[in-house]
Amino acid sequence: MTESGQQWLRQDDQEATRASFPELFFDLVFVFALIQLSETLAADFTFGIAAETLLFIFALWWVWIHTTWITNLLNTEITPVRLLLFAMMFLGIVLAITLPRAFTDMGLAFALAYSAMQLGRSLFALYAFRQAGDAGSFMSLLRITVWLFLSSVLWIAGGVSEPRLRVILWIAALAIEYIGPVLRYWLPRLGPSPQETLDISGEHLAERCALFVIIALGETIITTGKNASGHLEIEATSLVLLCAFLSTVLMWWIYFHDGQERAADKAEETAEPQIIAQQLFTYGHLPIVAGIILTAVGEDFSLSHPEETGSYSHALALLGGPILFLGGTALMKTMASRYVPYSHVTGIILLVACFLLVPFIANFLTQVLASTILLVVALWEYVALKRFRRAAA
């Protein structure tokens, strides 16, 4: 590897494991995208719309996490990589703008923006690794690029199809992208990519995913505050706002108090960083982020329809969001430490049981129940960890 080629790769020092300013700047696009996503879902929440929105969550997460893997490998302080991120930002804005109408008249624009982000980034990485003389990473990225090309064909075909066929084609495209890492991007004649080919930094990936969780939580605060300001005349608004803010703080606490640090340590200390990073971050963080987004939508319902009762579609967000979040954090903590957080499991059971009460209570009471259960989970885990550390000492 030549000295000039070495500059393309992330440097192997403590400072390089931190998220860089270009990466943080790139993340701003996803604040807008998540707001667009939650507002679209809250505007007309049906089971059909929820399924479509789930597809968008999968797509947004996948384009972000793939970009994070590339910036984990490349030096974001050099001009070409920064320009890549700026181009990705513009395409991300187009993606977010077209998202609410992706299943009507802007399907092709959405598909082209998404495909350009995925393929453009991968082609750039191929060039970068060729310049760096890293043959192993180059071949791994070549396999990934071929898989993304196949999925892009389905994305674009769906963009020009009628809505029902569009859903099928886009689900197939996402299936190709999500199955790819599991099959190690197998290709005819080339076979699967060798394990642990990419020289990743587990600490960097852990920090980047933690920052995305903060972005999702920040989007929750923004949408909740915006919706609360539009419903000040409703008596229950103050209570719902308090519970919504409490839920956001508790989700932050449950994720960061113990789990995030354990995940970072696991990713950094393991002998198989690429495999562990895929488990903990690429797949493991998806339900966490989806749960936070769905919780924000539920809080919107409890603010705009506080007295409405018997709405299972609203309850799906109010209770389903925390269920997804707790399930994701429980999975992350279990994989990171082989310790099953029984507080999270109990919280999930209690939240599921709350569905039995939905026909008899108003939305704002469902919000209160969800926030109370999150509080119980956080306190239980805090006390349990404190006792465990005291006993270990």
Side-chain angles (χ1 to χ4, degrees):
M1 187 180 299
T2 65
E3 184 176 348
S4 60
Q6 180 67 36
Q7 70 174 342
W8 286 89
L9 304 183
R10 179 176 285 274
Q11 303 304 304
D12 188 18
D13 56 51
Q14 185 174 2
E15 188 65 26
T17 63
R18 310 294 296 179
S20 63
F21 288 121
E23 291 174 286
L24 299 177
F25 191 39
F26 167 74
D27 287 349
L28 293 178
V29 171
F30 286 85
V31 176
F32 174 45
L34 293 181
I35 290 174
Q36 287 281 87
L37 187 63
S38 61
E39 288 183 351
T40 300
L41 185 56
D44 182 22
F45 191 91
T46 62
F47 288 105
I49 296 295
E52 292 176 359
T53 304
L54 186 63
L55 184 149
F56 292 137
I57 292 174
F58 273 73
L60 288 176
W61 172 253
W62 210 241
V63 75
W64 183 87
I65 192 66
H66 265 235
T67 304
T68 297
W69 274 75
I70 294 302
T71 56
N72 182 276
L73 297 167
L74 299 182
N75 182 5
T76 57
E77 298 301 329
I78 65 173
T79 299
V81 179
R82 287 184 173 184
L83 293 176
L84 168 70
L85 290 176
F86 296 155
M88 294 282 287
M89 287 179 71
F90 176 75
L91 291 170
I93 292 173
V94 175
L95 192 76
I97 291 172
T98 58
L99 187 151
R101 294 161 57 184
F103 281 104
T104 54
D105 61 330
M106 301 196 76
L108 180 59
F110 178 88
L112 287 173
Y114 180 86
S115 299
M117 292 181 79
Q118 293 288 67
L119 276 177
R121 182 201 56 243
S122 291
L123 290 171
F124 179 91
L126 278 176
Y127 175 81
F129 283 115
R130 186 179 182 86
Q131 291 296 107
D134 188 340
S137 296
F138 177 86
M139 291 306 298
S140 292
L141 265 295
L142 178 62
R143 291 177 172 87
I144 294 172
T145 304
V146 172
W147 277 67
L148 289 176
F149 175 79
L150 294 175
S151 68
S152 294
V153 171
L154 294 177
W155 279 107
I156 295 171
V160 297
S161 303
E162 53 89 19
R164 290 186 179 180
L165 180 58
R166 183 175 302 170
V167 172
I168 296 173
L169 290 173
W170 283 1
I171 290 175
L174 279 174
I176 289 175
E177 295 185 20
Y178 272 79
I179 292 172
V182 178
L183 299 180
R184 291 170 23 215
Y185 296 102
W186 180 91
L187 288 179
R189 296 190 179 182
L190 291 179
S193 177
Q195 291 184 346
E196 304 302 329
T197 302
L198 303 177
D199 184 22
I200 67 165
S201 166
E203 184 180 355
H204 174 263
L205 272 176
E207 181 180 357
R208 295 291 290 124
C209 286
L211 289 171
F212 196 87
V213 170
I214 289 180
I215 289 173
L217 291 171
E219 179 272 331
T220 301
I221 292 175
I222 292 171
T223 54
T224 300
K226 180 181 176 181
N227 292 328
S229 65
H231 297 89
L232 295 176
E233 72 284 356
I234 302 176
E235 292 183 3
T237 295
S238 298
L239 176 61
V240 173
L241 178 60
L242 175 62
C243 288
F245 178 74
L246 179 63
S247 293
T248 303
V249 172
L250 289 169
M251 286 190 290
W252 182 94
W253 184 275
I254 290 168
Y255 176 84
F256 282 98
H257 178 61
D258 182 65
Q260 193 276 336
E261 185 177 351
R262 286 179 180 267
D265 291 342
K266 177 71 172 180
E268 190 63 24
E269 296 170 2
T270 181
E272 299 179 322
Q274 190 173 332
I275 295 174
I276 296 301
Q278 281 188 354
Q279 294 173 352
L280 284 175
F281 307 123
T282 303
Y283 295 108
H285 270 63
L286 180 58
I288 296 174
V289 173
I292 294 172
I293 295 170
L294 200 56
T295 300
V297 174
E299 291 167 355
D300 185 342
F301 292 149
S302 59
L303 283 165
S304 56
H305 305 87
E307 302 292 341
E308 184 174 327
T309 60
S311 176
Y312 279 104
S313 61
H314 291 179
L316 183 63
L318 284 162
L319 301 173
I323 288 172
L324 267 179
F325 173 78
L326 288 178
T329 52
L331 182 63
M332 177 187 72
K333 293 174 182 180
T334 302
M335 288 191 296
S337 63
R338 298 188 182 276
Y339 158 74
V340 179
Y342 293 108
S343 58
H344 295 44
V345 176
T346 303
I348 292 171
I349 293 172
L350 291 174
L351 286 164
V352 171
C354 286
F355 276 99
L356 299 174
L357 301 175
V358 169
F360 312 105
I361 60 176
N363 280 337
F364 81 92
L365 287 176
T366 305
Q367 174 71 67
V368 171
L369 284 174
S371 300
T372 301
I373 292 171
L374 286 174
L375 178 60
V376 169
V377 171
L379 288 174
W380 181 346
E381 183 179 47
Y382 177 78
V383 172
L385 286 172
K386 197 170 183 180
R387 288 179 177 175
F388 175 79
R389 288 166 182 166
R390 187 183 300 161

